[in-house]
């Protein structure tokens, strides 16, 4: 089941130069410049070192330090998700569930109404629910994103421990 996705993730993931991050903002017509620019800034400032590819959608900000494309086909999205060590996505159910389907715990930054990224805060509510169930790692604000990426491995280990405790046995 999806709830057991953490069991198949690589516990040896090292967030470093050979790590690949795939970012998707989905296809909603409002820009998600906050996430796109944050990723570009983190790469520019060398706060993160992994290669980054961003599916930037309708965002108006054009990355200078990350590879990107406005839109990609579904098959390319699946391939990029499969190849990525970390999937960072907006809080849309489709993108989050695709990451889980690929047996990866996505790092999710929900679009928020107060930033004019969506018409309401349904993505925030969805993320809080999924985070509470241990299905995702969430970063609600730009300031949280760098630490969430750089601490991704320890976040995964905590989720794996939670799954193990829920199953009543230790994971090795």
């Amino acid at each position: 089941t999806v709830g057991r996705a953490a069991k198949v993730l690589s516990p040896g993931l090292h967030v470093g130069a050979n790590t690949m991050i795939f970012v998707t903002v989905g296809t909603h017509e409002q820009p998600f410049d906050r996430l796109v620019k944050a990723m570009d800034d983190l790469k520019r400032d060398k706060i993160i070192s992994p290669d980054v590819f961003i599916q930037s959608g309708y965002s108006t900000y054009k990355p200078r330090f990350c590879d990107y494309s406005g839109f990609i086909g579904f098959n390319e999205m699946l391939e990029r998700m499969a190849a990525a060590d970390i999937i960072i996505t907006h809080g849309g159910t489709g993108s989050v569930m695709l990451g889980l389907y690929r047996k990866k715990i996505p790092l999710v930054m929900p679009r928020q109404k107060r930033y004019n990224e969506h018409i309401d805060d349904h993505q925030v509510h969805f993320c809080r629910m999924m985070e509470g169930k241990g299905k995702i790692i969430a970063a609600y604000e730009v300031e949280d994103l760098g630490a969430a990426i750089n601490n991704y491995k320890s976040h995964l280990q905590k989720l794996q421990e939670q799954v193990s405790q829920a199953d009543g046995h230790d994971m090795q």
Side-chain angles (χ1 to χ4, degrees):
T1 65
V2 172
R4 306 207 190 288
K7 288 185 171 184
V8 297
L9 292 169
S10 169
L13 173 65
H14 172 69
V15 179
N18 294 325
T19 304
M20 206 287 270
I21 296 174
F22 173 66
V23 181
T24 179
V25 302
T27 58
H28 181 69
E29 62 276 358
Q30 286 173 277
F32 199 6
D33 290 336
R34 187 168 61 105
L35 176 56
V36 175
K37 185 176 184 319
M39 291 301 299
D40 205 41
D41 289 349
L42 289 169
K43 187 72 174 164
R44 177 198 66 209
D45 297 342
K46 299 183 183 351
I47 294 169
I48 60 171
S49 58
D51 291 334
V52 178
F53 181 87
I54 303 170
Q55 177 271 312
S56 60
Y58 290 100
S59 298
T60 58
Y61 178 84
K62 304 299 180 204
R64 296 185 344 216
F65 301 93
C66 300
D67 292 331
Y68 74 97
S69 178
F71 296 94
I72 58 176
F74 185 71
N75 287 337
E76 182 178 348
M77 177 172 277
L78 290 177
E79 289 170 10
R80 288 190 179 275
M81 283 186 164
D85 297 294
I86 301 174
I87 297 169
I88 300 176
T89 181
H90 66 116
T93 56
S95 296
V96 171
M97 298 310 279
L98 268 179
L100 293 171
Y101 175 74
R102 298 310 265 166
K103 302 198 181 328
K104 297 185 180 183
I105 301 295
L107 173 53
V108 183
M109 177 173 275
R111 293 172 178 263
Q112 295 185 42
K113 181 180 179 179
R114 69 181 167 152
Y115 297 120
N116 296 314
E117 297 162 344
H118 220 302
I119 59 170
D120 60 25
D121 282 329
H122 72 278
Q123 288 193 4
V124 173
H125 302 300
F126 175 68
C127 286
R128 285 194 179 125
M129 179 199 64
M130 295 296 282
E131 184 181 33
K133 293 179 180 222
K135 308 287 188 200
I136 67 167
I137 298 166
Y140 296 93
E141 300 299 331
V142 167
E143 297 79 25
D144 303 326
L145 195 55
I149 293 167
N150 286 323
N151 295 318
Y152 186 78
K153 181 180 174 184
S154 64
H155 289 302
L156 283 182
Q157 289 172 335
K158 287 177 187 172
L159 289 175
Q160 289 172 333
E161 290 169 9
Q162 290 171 1
V163 169
S164 177
Q165 289 171 359
D167 286 348
H169 59 75
D170 292 327
M171 286 177 30
Q172 299 297 323

